[in-house]
Amino acid sequence: TAHPFESCASILKTALEAGGQFALEITQDRSALADPSSYDAVILYTLGGELTADQEQGLVGYVRGGGGLVAIHCANAKLDKYGEYTEMLGTVFITHGPVSDFTVETSPDAASYLPRLTSSFDITDEFYVCERRTEAELRVFQEGLWQFERHPMGYVRDYGQGRVLYTALGHDERAFN
């Protein structure tokens, strides 16, 4: 099934703005990636398509220069032809299982850099399997078990002066809720 980008963006916006700490601007216009410097962070929940050189360089330069990037679920899918974008994210999508129930476990050392994570939880989602595409350190903070193998479900990495957080979770409204 298709990813319900608009409704998931709305769920995320409502949740993050509820505490009064964040204000989100949602757009489907990729030209905003050419210069995201007026934002504290960029959240990407997208799948494939095209990036212009200005868009790729704008986002990569923004993060390298100290910006934050949160990449959700399919943000690493069908964009691996963009080398710097792929290096920045650190992984590419390989395959996924059907939407099903599984347990996500938080890595023991994650509390040192993400202190408010739940230790484990059950979720109904696609289990995304990704392939590493960087030599840089990926600090895995969540893992899941798929076909008897452990796979990262979330990681953070430094990229220049900035930071990237990737979560493999987020196929539809059930996962976002």
Side-chain angles (χ1 to χ4, degrees):
T1 60
H3 297 92
F5 294 115
E6 288 183 35
S7 60
C8 289
S10 179
I11 291 167
L12 185 61
K13 180 177 176 64
T14 299
L16 290 178
E17 289 183 343
Q21 185 178 359
F22 302 104
L24 272 67
E25 179 181 317
I26 298 171
T27 183
Q28 294 182 25
D29 181 2
R30 290 187 178 191
S31 67
L33 297 174
D35 182 14
S37 62
S38 62
Y39 298 97
D40 294 326
V42 172
I43 300 173
L44 285 180
Y45 181 46
T46 190
L47 172 64
E50 299 297 319
L51 291 173
T52 67
D54 285 346
Q55 292 164 358
E56 181 183 21
Q57 291 306 308
L59 180 61
V60 168
Y62 164 77
V63 177
R64 189 181 294 128
L69 173 64
V70 176
I72 299 174
H73 192 57
C74 49
N76 69 350
K78 300 182 181 180
L79 288 166
D80 53 328
K81 65 184 176 184
Y82 301 102
E84 288 190 72
Y85 176 85
T86 299
E87 166 63 28
M88 176 183 65
L89 283 185
T91 61
V92 295
F93 163 78
I94 298 299
T95 190
H96 64 75
V99 173
S100 60
D101 297 332
F102 59 93
T103 300
V104 177
E105 295 179 8
T106 299
S107 304
D109 65 337
S112 65
Y113 52 92
L114 293 171
R116 293 185 294 267
L117 290 178
T118 303
S119 60
S120 71
F121 57 91
D122 294 326
I123 192 167
T124 302
D125 202 351
E126 280 181 337
F127 195 104
Y128 248 42
V129 177
C130 301
E131 179 178 277
R132 185 185 188 93
R133 289 287 176 89
T134 183
E135 296 297 318
E137 179 186 14
L138 302 179
R139 294 183 302 280
V140 174
F141 63 87
Q142 290 175 330
E143 297 176 309
L145 190 63
W146 183 254
Q147 297 181 341
F148 307 106
E149 289 186 35
R150 288 201 143 320
H151 295 275
M153 292 283 96
Y155 61 82
V156 294
R157 69 157 301 181
D158 297 327
Y159 186 74
Q161 300 300 309
R163 181 162 295 167
V164 174
L165 182 146
Y166 171 76
T167 178
L169 304 174
H171 176 69
D172 63 21
E173 295 92 347
R174 290 169 290 187
F176 272 78
N177 282 320

